[in-house]
Amino acid sequence: MFKVHCMNNISKVGTNRLGDRYEFTSELTDANAILVRSARLHDIELPKELLAIARAGAGVNNIPLDRCAESGIVVFNTPGANANAVKELVLCGMLLACRDIIGGIDWVRANSDDPEVGKKAEKAKKQFAGCELAGKTLGVIGLGAIGAAVANAALSLGMRVLGYDPYLSINAAWSLDRNIKHVTDVNELYSNADFITIHVPATADTKGMIGADEIALMKRGAVVLNLARDVLVDEQAMAEALDDGHIARYVTDFANPASTNMRNAIVTPHLGASTGEAEDNCAIMAVNELKDYLENGNIVHSVNFGAVDLGPIAADGRIAVFHHNAQGMLGKITQCVADSDLNIENMSNKSRGAYAYTLIEVSGTPEAANTVVEKVAQLPDVMRVRTIARV
């Protein structure tokens, strides 16, 4: 029986899929698995029996990835599960930025008691006039699940689309409409786009990626949208660009003292994935990832270990080994199995940076498997090892 602890409210559409091999626990110390959305885990002591953490969302800034890796705790996220929700908010942001819809709504509310409000609106509406998206150029930085969805949708609105992603995967490339122009120099995107939207993770390399120098390359009157992470934009540089009119609008989903006081900024309270559909999708994906790992040892969509997928267990069971990515480790692990009464039926080994994961499917007795586990656990550079029996 696996014990699952929910750090946040997780959609029951997902948790109802766990089945009778799982039970929920209110005590973190008892957990074999954690489901989380926004709760911060950096300052929390993780249980010794914890095997996996699944984040119902894409970002994992709230999870101590290296500490988890050193303990053999797999951290999953749910890339693409909320892509449609974020895509729609980006489109909404572009419409709000190019037409003063918010100003018009505020005017109507301010004049709601005037019996002539309808007549006066015909004159007042001129001050809220804007432009159309059709015919404008959108620059998309980051062509993952969300960026690709935004780019394809913009084409449908009659926009010209430039895409930039130096790490564009084959799968992502297949999802892009052929009419999207993939630029290899981001400066080309900055200088040609009327709208620029950012869809990259927050890393040491991307922090402050939109600063004064990048803004200076943009068209006067350009609109910048940031629904990815607030740290991607130098907010002081953005505030100055908004003040002098070089940037017409800054649309961000991250409210903080800097963004909320910017002139001509449209700030939403982190609504990107706040739809019932997105929450359901994230919960379903997170639960499926946990189940496949806990029951089969497979790792899909992990952010701290490589992907390994041997499908459902076909033999007697599997041995899962977490170890440092050190030379000769695979040979040492398989030698421990060879010295036992177990037979290797299938195997996969994947590394990710300093860490590696080896999954071995074996036939033989549980006693022999336990002996192998004891031997493997004593090997240098092994962080964790466990057996998984076929049910």
Side-chain angles (χ1 to χ4, degrees):
M1 184 71 71
F2 296 109
K3 294 184 178 181
V4 179
H5 179 74
C6 295
M7 299 289 293
N8 301 104
N9 290 326
I10 305 296
S11 169
K12 290 185 177 180
V13 173
T15 57
N16 286 344
R17 293 174 171 238
L18 283 171
D20 56 11
R21 296 185 63 188
Y22 299 82
E23 65 179 13
F24 292 103
T25 176
S26 59
E27 298 296 330
L28 176 62
T29 54
D30 296 334
N32 303 120
I34 291 174
L35 284 165
V36 64
R37 291 176 62 193
S38 59
R40 182 177 172 83
L41 302 182
H42 287 279
D43 302 323
I44 293 176
E45 183 177 351
L46 300 175
K48 291 183 179 180
E49 300 302 316
L50 185 65
L51 298 172
I53 300 171
R55 159 82 163 95
V60 289
N61 303 39
N62 56 324
I63 302 172
L65 301 183
D66 288 340
R67 181 154 61 98
C68 288
E70 283 291 340
S71 300
I73 299 170
V74 186
V75 179
F76 298 97
N77 69 344
T78 57
N82 59 12
N84 188 69
V86 179
K87 174 203 76 177
E88 291 185 0
L89 191 61
V90 172
L91 299 179
C92 174
M94 288 197 292
L95 291 167
L96 292 175
C98 69
R99 305 183 67 174
D100 191 8
I101 298 168
I102 296 174
I105 292 172
D106 289 342
W107 182 92
V108 171
R109 285 177 176 169
N111 293 272
S112 60
D113 294 333
D114 188 340
E116 299 292 318
V117 62
K119 184 177 180 180
K120 293 180 179 179
E122 290 302 314
K123 294 182 178 180
K125 68 182 183 182
K126 295 179 181 179
Q127 62 186 299
F128 309 116
C131 66
E132 299 180 10
L133 294 178
K136 304 300 187 298
T137 299
L138 172 66
V140 183
I141 302 175
L143 295 169
I146 297 172
V150 170
N152 290 336
L155 280 178
S156 299
L157 295 174
M159 301 185 78
R160 176 173 177 256
V161 181
L162 307 177
Y164 173 79
D165 192 333
Y167 307 106
L168 183 64
S169 68
I170 294 175
N171 287 339
W174 276 108
S175 70
L176 291 171
D177 189 287
R178 63 183 179 85
N179 291 308
I180 294 168
K181 181 182 179 182
H182 183 219
V183 299
T184 57
D185 183 356
V186 70
N187 292 336
E188 179 183 348
L189 183 150
Y190 290 141
S191 59
N192 286 282
D194 302 297
F195 295 80
I196 297 171
T197 182
I198 316 165
H199 300 287
V200 300
T203 66
D205 293 333
T206 60
K207 184 177 180 180
M209 62 179 289
I210 303 295
D213 292 341
E214 290 73 25
I215 291 172
L217 295 173
M218 297 177 189
K219 288 183 177 181
R220 186 168 187 84
V223 172
V224 178
L225 301 100
N226 177 17
L227 278 74
R229 288 290 180 267
D230 55 352
V231 296
L232 302 176
V233 173
D234 181 333
E235 293 182 321
Q236 181 177 347
M238 181 58 67
E240 292 173 358
L242 288 167
D243 283 339
D244 68 17
H246 186 82
I247 298 298
R249 292 278 192 179
Y250 176 51
V251 181
T252 177
D253 202 22
F254 306 100
N256 59 47
S259 64
T260 55
N261 284 288
M262 289 180 186
R263 179 187 175 208
N264 289 330
I266 298 173
V267 185
T268 51
H270 205 187
L271 297 177
S274 294
T275 68
E277 294 88 344
E279 292 180 5
D280 289 348
N281 292 339
C282 287
I284 291 169
M285 184 180 289
V287 166
N288 288 342
E289 291 164 353
L290 279 183
K291 283 173 60 68
D292 197 18
Y293 170 64
L294 295 175
E295 297 173 17
N296 298 303
N298 297 324
I299 294 180
V300 180
H301 295 146
S302 170
V303 295
N304 61 347
F305 285 101
V308 169
D309 188 357
L310 296 181
I313 298 176
D316 293 318
R318 289 174 179 170
I319 298 174
V321 187
F322 295 90
H323 53 93
H324 290 116
N325 188 18
Q327 186 175 4
M329 282 302 301
L330 185 58
K332 294 176 183 178
I333 293 168
T334 55
Q335 187 61 52
C336 290
V337 179
D339 292 341
S340 72
D341 293 328
L342 296 177
N343 185 56
I344 296 177
E345 304 291 348
N346 201 354
M347 181 175 65
S348 183
N349 168 271
K350 289 294 175 66
S351 62
R352 184 166 189 161
Y355 305 103
Y357 178 61
T358 300
L359 184 63
I360 306 172
E361 183 156 317
V362 296
S363 58
T365 66
E367 292 76 17
N370 290 334
T371 300
V372 171
V373 167
E374 292 175 3
K375 291 181 179 180
V376 172
Q378 294 174 11
L379 293 174
D381 290 309
V382 169
M383 290 112 59
R384 187 173 208 155
V385 56
R386 73 180 183 108
T387 59
I388 309 165
R390 184 177 66 177
V391 176

